[in-house]
mmCIF file of all heavy atoms in Angstrom:
data_model
loop_
_atom_site.group_PDB
_atom_site.id
_atom_site.type_symbol
_atom_site.label_atom_id
_atom_site.label_comp_id
_atom_site.label_asym_id
_atom_site.label_seq_id
_atom_site.Cartn_x
_atom_site.Cartn_y
_atom_site.Cartn_z
ATOM 1 N N ARG A 53 -6.529 36.105 -25.924
ATOM 2 C CA ARG A 53 -5.275 35.436 -26.069
ATOM 3 C C ARG A 53 -4.097 36.408 -25.783
ATOM 4 O O ARG A 53 -4.054 37.513 -26.407
ATOM 5 C CB ARG A 53 -5.175 34.656 -27.264
ATOM 6 C CG ARG A 53 -6.220 33.582 -27.349
ATOM 7 C CD ARG A 53 -6.116 32.855 -28.673
ATOM 8 N NE ARG A 53 -7.222 31.788 -28.676
ATOM 9 C CZ ARG A 53 -7.008 30.581 -28.849
ATOM 10 N NH1 ARG A 53 -5.842 30.035 -29.275
ATOM 11 N NH2 ARG A 53 -7.970 29.678 -28.853
ATOM 12 N N HIS A 54 -3.231 36.039 -24.818
ATOM 13 C CA HIS A 54 -2.097 36.886 -24.522
ATOM 14 C C HIS A 54 -0.804 36.070 -24.817
ATOM 15 O O HIS A 54 -0.272 35.375 -23.982
ATOM 16 C CB HIS A 54 -2.065 37.319 -23.051
ATOM 17 C CG HIS A 54 -3.392 37.879 -22.653
ATOM 18 N ND1 HIS A 54 -3.643 39.278 -22.638
ATOM 19 C CD2 HIS A 54 -4.570 37.296 -22.230
ATOM 20 C CE1 HIS A 54 -4.902 39.575 -22.209
ATOM 21 N NE2 HIS A 54 -5.520 38.354 -21.965
ATOM 22 N N ALA A 55 -0.270 36.187 -26.097
ATOM 23 C CA ALA A 55 0.858 35.437 -26.506
ATOM 24 C C ALA A 55 2.071 36.203 -26.340
ATOM 25 O O ALA A 55 2.072 37.468 -26.437
ATOM 26 C CB ALA A 55 0.770 34.996 -27.945
ATOM 27 N N SER A 56 3.279 35.610 -25.909
ATOM 28 C CA SER A 56 4.503 36.352 -25.702
ATOM 29 C C SER A 56 5.633 35.384 -26.089
ATOM 30 O O SER A 56 5.527 34.242 -26.388
ATOM 31 C CB SER A 56 4.636 36.836 -24.220
ATOM 32 O OG SER A 56 4.340 35.619 -23.321
ATOM 33 N N ASP A 57 6.840 35.970 -25.943
ATOM 34 C CA ASP A 57 8.004 35.256 -26.293
ATOM 35 C C ASP A 57 8.393 34.179 -25.318
ATOM 36 O O ASP A 57 7.806 34.202 -24.198
ATOM 37 C CB ASP A 57 9.209 36.309 -26.506
ATOM 38 C CG ASP A 57 10.496 35.712 -27.010
ATOM 39 O OD1 ASP A 57 10.483 35.369 -28.188
ATOM 40 O OD2 ASP A 57 11.476 35.578 -26.278
ATOM 41 N N ASN A 58 9.359 33.277 -25.667
ATOM 42 C CA ASN A 58 9.687 32.136 -24.819
ATOM 43 C C ASN A 58 10.601 32.453 -23.669
ATOM 44 O O ASN A 58 10.927 31.660 -22.863
ATOM 45 C CB ASN A 58 10.244 31.045 -25.617
ATOM 46 C CG ASN A 58 11.579 31.356 -26.209
ATOM 47 O OD1 ASN A 58 11.902 32.513 -26.386
ATOM 48 N ND2 ASN A 58 12.296 30.273 -26.664
ATOM 49 N N ARG A 59 11.143 33.736 -23.575
ATOM 50 C CA ARG A 59 12.045 33.998 -22.403
ATOM 51 C C ARG A 59 11.506 35.081 -21.569
ATOM 52 O O ARG A 59 12.213 35.746 -20.837
ATOM 53 C CB ARG A 59 13.360 34.613 -23.059
ATOM 54 C CG ARG A 59 14.148 33.477 -23.734
ATOM 55 C CD ARG A 59 15.603 33.819 -23.851
ATOM 56 N NE ARG A 59 16.369 32.828 -24.496
ATOM 57 C CZ ARG A 59 17.707 32.711 -24.610
ATOM 58 N NH1 ARG A 59 18.455 33.722 -24.024
ATOM 59 N NH2 ARG A 59 18.283 31.764 -25.214
ATOM 60 N N VAL A 60 10.138 35.255 -21.447
ATOM 61 C CA VAL A 60 9.515 36.230 -20.564
ATOM 62 C C VAL A 60 8.584 35.465 -19.611
ATOM 63 O O VAL A 60 7.467 36.011 -19.294
ATOM 64 C CB VAL A 60 8.860 37.333 -21.316
ATOM 65 C CG1 VAL A 60 9.868 38.142 -22.066
ATOM 66 C CG2 VAL A 60 7.808 36.779 -22.317
ATOM 67 N N GLU A 61 8.982 34.342 -19.092
ATOM 68 C CA GLU A 61 8.102 33.537 -18.259
ATOM 69 C C GLU A 61 7.581 34.286 -16.978
ATOM 70 O O GLU A 61 6.424 34.156 -16.628
ATOM 71 C CB GLU A 61 8.821 32.249 -17.782
ATOM 72 C CG GLU A 61 9.041 31.233 -18.908
ATOM 73 C CD GLU A 61 10.330 31.344 -19.651
ATOM 74 O OE1 GLU A 61 11.018 32.452 -19.337
ATOM 75 O OE2 GLU A 61 10.851 30.520 -20.269
ATOM 76 N N ILE A 62 8.497 35.022 -16.400
ATOM 77 C CA ILE A 62 8.107 35.753 -15.168
ATOM 78 C C ILE A 62 7.179 36.833 -15.477
ATOM 79 O O ILE A 62 6.162 37.063 -14.691
ATOM 80 C CB ILE A 62 9.283 36.205 -14.390
ATOM 81 C CG1 ILE A 62 10.275 35.043 -13.914
ATOM 82 C CG2 ILE A 62 8.905 37.047 -13.129
ATOM 83 C CD1 ILE A 62 9.530 34.032 -12.979
ATOM 84 N N ASP A 63 7.450 37.560 -16.540
ATOM 85 C CA ASP A 63 6.509 38.600 -16.975
ATOM 86 C C ASP A 63 5.093 38.031 -17.281
ATOM 87 O O ASP A 63 4.008 38.647 -16.899
ATOM 88 C CB ASP A 63 7.021 39.316 -18.238
ATOM 89 C CG ASP A 63 8.231 40.203 -17.870
ATOM 90 O OD1 ASP A 63 8.482 40.504 -16.755
ATOM 91 O OD2 ASP A 63 8.920 40.546 -18.884
ATOM 92 N N ARG A 64 5.088 36.825 -17.932
ATOM 93 C CA ARG A 64 3.795 36.161 -18.214
ATOM 94 C C ARG A 64 3.035 35.817 -16.861
ATOM 95 O O ARG A 64 1.863 36.015 -16.806
ATOM 96 C CB ARG A 64 4.014 34.889 -18.976
ATOM 97 C CG ARG A 64 4.042 35.090 -20.459
ATOM 98 C CD ARG A 64 3.673 33.818 -21.180
ATOM 99 N NE ARG A 64 4.601 32.673 -21.010
ATOM 100 C CZ ARG A 64 5.757 32.544 -21.681
ATOM 101 N NH1 ARG A 64 6.027 33.312 -22.669
ATOM 102 N NH2 ARG A 64 6.559 31.477 -21.456
ATOM 103 N N ALA A 65 3.837 35.328 -15.961
ATOM 104 C CA ALA A 65 3.258 34.927 -14.640
ATOM 105 C C ALA A 65 2.662 36.126 -13.878
ATOM 106 O O ALA A 65 1.549 36.091 -13.423
ATOM 107 C CB ALA A 65 4.266 34.231 -13.775
ATOM 108 N N ARG A 66 3.380 37.183 -13.932
ATOM 109 C CA ARG A 66 2.920 38.454 -13.272
ATOM 110 C C ARG A 66 1.637 38.953 -13.955
ATOM 111 O O ARG A 66 0.687 39.453 -13.235
ATOM 112 C CB ARG A 66 3.940 39.462 -13.274
ATOM 113 C CG ARG A 66 5.167 39.220 -12.349
ATOM 114 C CD ARG A 66 6.274 40.207 -12.531
ATOM 115 N NE ARG A 66 7.423 39.995 -11.784
ATOM 116 C CZ ARG A 66 8.734 40.219 -12.214
ATOM 117 N NH1 ARG A 66 8.980 40.743 -13.441
ATOM 118 N NH2 ARG A 66 9.786 39.898 -11.403
ATOM 119 N N HIS A 67 1.608 38.897 -15.210
ATOM 120 C CA HIS A 67 0.393 39.352 -15.986
ATOM 121 C C HIS A 67 -0.767 38.521 -15.650
ATOM 122 O O HIS A 67 -1.877 39.097 -15.402
ATOM 123 C CB HIS A 67 0.704 39.326 -17.450
ATOM 124 C CG HIS A 67 -0.323 39.932 -18.306
ATOM 125 N ND1 HIS A 67 -0.579 39.532 -19.691
ATOM 126 C CD2 HIS A 67 -1.294 40.823 -18.078
ATOM 127 C CE1 HIS A 67 -1.542 40.145 -20.182
ATOM 128 N NE2 HIS A 67 -2.026 40.930 -19.247
#
Side-chain angles (χ1 to χ4, degrees):
R53 296 179 179 230
H54 308 266
S56 53
D57 188 69
N58 65 340
R59 292 202 178 188
V60 293
E61 291 93 345
I62 297 300
D63 290 342
R64 272 204 295 273
R66 291 174 182 142
H67 186 204

